[in-house]
Amino acid sequence: MKIIISGTARCGKSFLAENIKEDDKVSTFKVDLLLLQSLGYKKPKNSFELHEKLNFYINKTRYVDSKRKKTEILFKNLKFKDIIKTLKFKRNQMMPSYIIDLIDKVNLHNNKNKWIAADLNAEMIFENLKKIKKDLFLIVLMRNPLEAICASLYWRNYPNVCENRGKILLYKLLSWKLTFFVAKILKKKFPRSVKIIFINELKKKRD
């Protein structure tokens, strides 16, 4: 089983991922997978190019704090060369699909059969991934839009509001509405594989 926790920025993906404990069967990843961003990589033409792109992906750091001072990578303390070599090149396969293959291999290497990871806006490519990865599940986190948008405006510069706040406000509002719209379509199409959770309600239950 593979579960991606998705949603817009500042919706609580990291909060949820950090509160899911690993055990002897489940791996959890605390940083975003960046699947949507990986679509920007050109499709590999052969195995050599595929392995090169996966090496780049593995070593790509993610910021994990608002000041952009602390970074982490997706996997820690693992040697990947042998794992990557086991991935087979398939013509016209998307990079996000190869990345999920890689995570599966790493999970197998760690003697685990399930994984949970956060990612930004993975709902936008979930339908295509689901065609290839039948055991892929999606949790779309939604947060009160007033809170989510406000957090985005102040996140990196609090207590000062960010520059271009008018454009960012409009972008974040449209992004929130689009994510919710897509999530409802996916929930209708894949009722057993997609769940929409409102993080505010989850926090209330925890408190």
Side-chain angles (χ1 to χ4, degrees):
M1 180 186 291
K2 326 172 206 302
I3 301 175
I4 297 176
I5 303 171
S6 187
T8 61
R10 322 310 323 140
C11 71
K13 299 184 300 299
S14 298
F15 163 80
L16 185 56
E18 288 168 5
N19 281 274
I20 297 175
K21 294 182 179 179
E22 286 195 1
D23 60 26
D24 57 348
K25 294 183 179 179
V26 181
S27 294
T28 60
F29 300 94
K30 310 301 184 184
V31 296
D32 283 8
L33 297 181
L34 304 181
L35 294 177
L36 194 61
Q37 291 88 330
S38 74
L39 282 173
Y41 305 167
K42 292 182 179 179
K43 287 182 181 178
K45 298 176 182 177
N46 49 51
S47 295
F48 175 80
E49 194 172 330
L50 168 63
H51 298 161
E52 201 173 50
K53 290 179 184 299
L54 287 174
N55 270 307
F56 173 79
Y57 172 81
I58 287 168
N59 293 299
K60 186 176 179 64
T61 57
R62 284 94 162 140
Y63 288 109
V64 293
D65 67 324
S66 61
K67 301 297 183 182
R68 289 195 171 191
K69 291 183 178 179
K70 184 180 178 182
T71 61
E72 287 187 14
I73 57 174
L74 185 61
F75 306 110
K76 294 180 179 179
N77 305 320
L78 276 176
K79 295 180 180 179
F80 293 99
K81 288 186 178 179
D82 292 335
I83 296 176
I84 287 177
K85 286 178 181 177
T86 64
L87 292 176
K88 295 182 179 180
F89 169 74
K90 299 175 184 176
R91 194 172 298 279
N92 295 322
Q93 182 168 322
M94 298 188 305
M95 280 306 299
S97 181
Y98 283 120
I99 289 169
I100 290 178
D101 285 339
L102 175 63
I103 296 172
D104 285 343
K105 294 280 187 181
V106 171
N107 224 33
L108 188 63
H109 177 81
N110 290 332
N111 297 314
K112 297 186 179 184
N113 56 16
K114 300 173 184 176
W115 57 261
I116 301 171
D119 200 16
L120 179 67
N121 293 130
E123 68 276 358
M124 300 302 175
I125 57 174
F126 177 77
E127 187 170 355
N128 286 328
L129 290 174
K130 185 67 175 176
K131 293 175 183 176
I132 304 170
K133 310 295 179 183
K134 303 299 182 184
D135 59 342
L136 183 64
F137 294 82
L138 180 73
I139 295 174
V140 182
L141 279 188
M142 300 302 303
R143 184 181 179 185
N144 181 317
L146 293 176
E147 293 181 10
I149 294 169
C150 184
S152 294
L153 290 172
Y154 285 93
W155 184 44
R156 297 198 188 281
N157 301 289
Y158 186 82
N160 300 312
V161 71
C162 62
E163 296 180 7
N164 300 319
R165 55 186 176 273
K167 290 182 180 179
I168 293 175
L169 175 64
L170 179 59
Y171 171 78
K172 295 299 181 181
L173 178 59
L174 292 174
S175 177
W176 192 97
K177 294 184 71 173
L178 179 60
T179 291
F180 193 37
F181 176 75
V182 171
K184 287 190 292 184
I185 292 175
L186 291 173
K187 177 64 178 174
K188 188 175 181 179
K189 191 163 187 177
F190 306 101
R192 295 184 178 181
S193 301
V194 176
K195 188 172 183 63
I196 302 172
I197 296 177
F198 287 85
I199 194 71
N200 300 80
E201 297 299 319
L202 200 62
K203 286 182 176 180
K204 283 181 182 178
K205 290 179 181 179
R206 188 193 67 163
D207 297 337

